[in-house]
Structure formats: C-alpha cells, structure tokens
Amino acid sequence: AAVSPDGRTLALLAQDRIDLWDVRTGRVTRTLSGVDAMQTPFDFTGRTLAAVDWDDGGVHAWDPRSGRSTLRIPEPDGGVDGLAASPDGRWLALCTGGHAVQLWDLTHRRKVSAPWVAKARAADCRDHALDFTPDSRTLTVVGDDGIHGWDPRTGRATPLAKADGLTQVWPGGDGTFLVGTGPHRLVVWRAARPWVPVLRR
C-alpha cells in the first residue's frame, strides 16, 4: 500500500489491478488495470504511480490524477528490485540487477543515457535504495560509502553524506533532512550540510 503526499488517496495492490481509494469517503475513485503488482516495488507521488508487473517484470507508470499510462518499460536485465518516482512527475529511477541504476524521463518517454547514471550504483537493490528529494532536483542513491546525490537535469553531483552500513534513504518531508537507515543503524543529516551528521543511532 502507499499513500499520496496529500494524504487523501490510498493506493492498494490487488490481484490484477491497483485500486485508488478516497480515504475520506472510503470509496474506490479509480482502478488501474492490466498489471499484477502483488508484492513488488511500488511508488506513489502526487503525479506518478509506478509498479513492477509480477508476471512479466515490466515497469508501469501512470498519472494517478487521470489514470493515463505514462510509460511501460520492458523488464530490464536482472529485473527491478527498487524504484522511485520524482514528485514533479518527470523522472523514474530503477534499481536493477547488479545494483545498477536506470533513469527514465517520463515527459519524453525515454531512458536517460549519461555518464553519471553509469556511476550511480546502489549498495543493495531494494525499496528506498534510491529516492528523489521533495523538490525533485536530486536523485539520492545509497552506496557502499554513504548517500550520493545527482541533479538529474545536469548530472552535477551533490556532496556525499558519508556512512557505511546503510541500505535505504529517506528524504525528509520538506527536504531539510536526509535519513539513511540500515539493518543496525540510522543516520540523519541536514541536506544543506551532509558532511556533518546531526544524529547517529
């Protein structure tokens, strides 16, 4: 399950569809069919809902406001173990086999081929191994040495938040903080000063 950023819509994976529920009325407002998305990577932002089809391994993306399909990607080599959609609806990032990252431009419906994308590798391919900041200006990826970030428009790298043992990244609600988690640790940084952790546990 996933909740929209405004808290008004609940997306539930069903047998062969995704149901969008209005949490105030308790009614299904839209059904996205044609995907068996049970127990697979799943993301829901205000402008994009993305899921991996359990049957064929392909990635589906929709505009949840209209229900329109915005992209369908055949299964990448090694499959998809994690994905993240940008809040502005422009980007879709995939964590694929071998911990490689793919970036797709949803506006132009094409895969982004750039040198910096090839450098983006996750320490462990899973949900939240990569994520976008709330302003959609940075794709964050958890690597072996910490959290790396890139501007998807320019490829410019952002300062590294150093820490080992992390497997997931969680940008704070308004982008002020960056949270890294792993099996045995949690680290919090201010996004503007990622070289100085404010909390380690």
Side-chain angles (χ1 to χ4, degrees):
V3 180
S4 62
D6 63 9
R8 296 181 177 182
T9 305
L10 175 67
L12 292 177
L13 304 178
Q15 186 63 38
D16 57 356
R17 67 190 188 280
I18 298 173
D19 290 331
L20 302 183
W21 292 76
D22 184 322
V23 298
R24 294 166 298 180
T25 65
R27 295 183 178 179
V28 175
T29 58
R30 191 177 303 283
T31 296
L32 307 176
S33 58
V35 59
D36 181 358
M38 297 293 288
Q39 301 177 10
T40 62
F42 183 46
D43 198 18
F44 186 14
T45 69
R47 299 191 179 204
T48 304
L49 192 152
V52 178
D53 194 315
W54 187 255
D55 285 336
D56 63 18
V59 180
H60 300 253
W62 299 267
D63 182 335
R65 299 164 300 176
S66 66
R68 182 177 63 89
S69 175
T70 55
L71 189 67
R72 179 182 170 92
I73 306 168
E75 180 180 14
D77 290 342
V80 176
D81 294 315
L83 54 79
S86 63
D88 65 2
R90 178 169 180 184
W91 309 103
L92 179 65
L94 312 177
C95 193
T96 66
H99 303 178
V101 173
Q102 289 187 9
L103 182 66
W104 289 78
D105 184 332
L106 294 175
T107 303
H108 298 97
R109 303 170 72 95
R110 62 179 175 83
K111 182 179 176 182
V112 176
S113 297
W116 72 267
V117 178
K119 297 177 184 176
R121 301 188 69 81
D124 188 7
C125 241
R126 61 167 67 190
D127 280 343
H128 292 283
L130 37 80
D131 210 338
F132 288 90
T133 52
D135 61 8
S136 301
R137 292 185 177 181
T138 304
L139 170 65
T140 57
V141 180
V142 179
D144 292 325
D145 55 351
I147 299 173
H148 298 258
W150 290 271
D151 184 329
R153 300 163 301 172
T154 65
R156 185 177 64 85
T158 60
L160 168 67
K162 291 187 177 180
D164 57 8
L166 300 179
T167 55
Q168 296 176 297
V169 59
W170 312 81
D174 63 357
T176 301
F177 294 97
L178 190 64
V179 180
T181 61
H184 303 290
R185 71 183 317 183
L186 177 147
V187 187
V188 180
W189 298 266
R190 289 189 186 277
R193 297 174 56 84
W195 51 89
V196 182
V198 296
L199 173 68
R200 290 179 182 269
R201 184 170 294 277

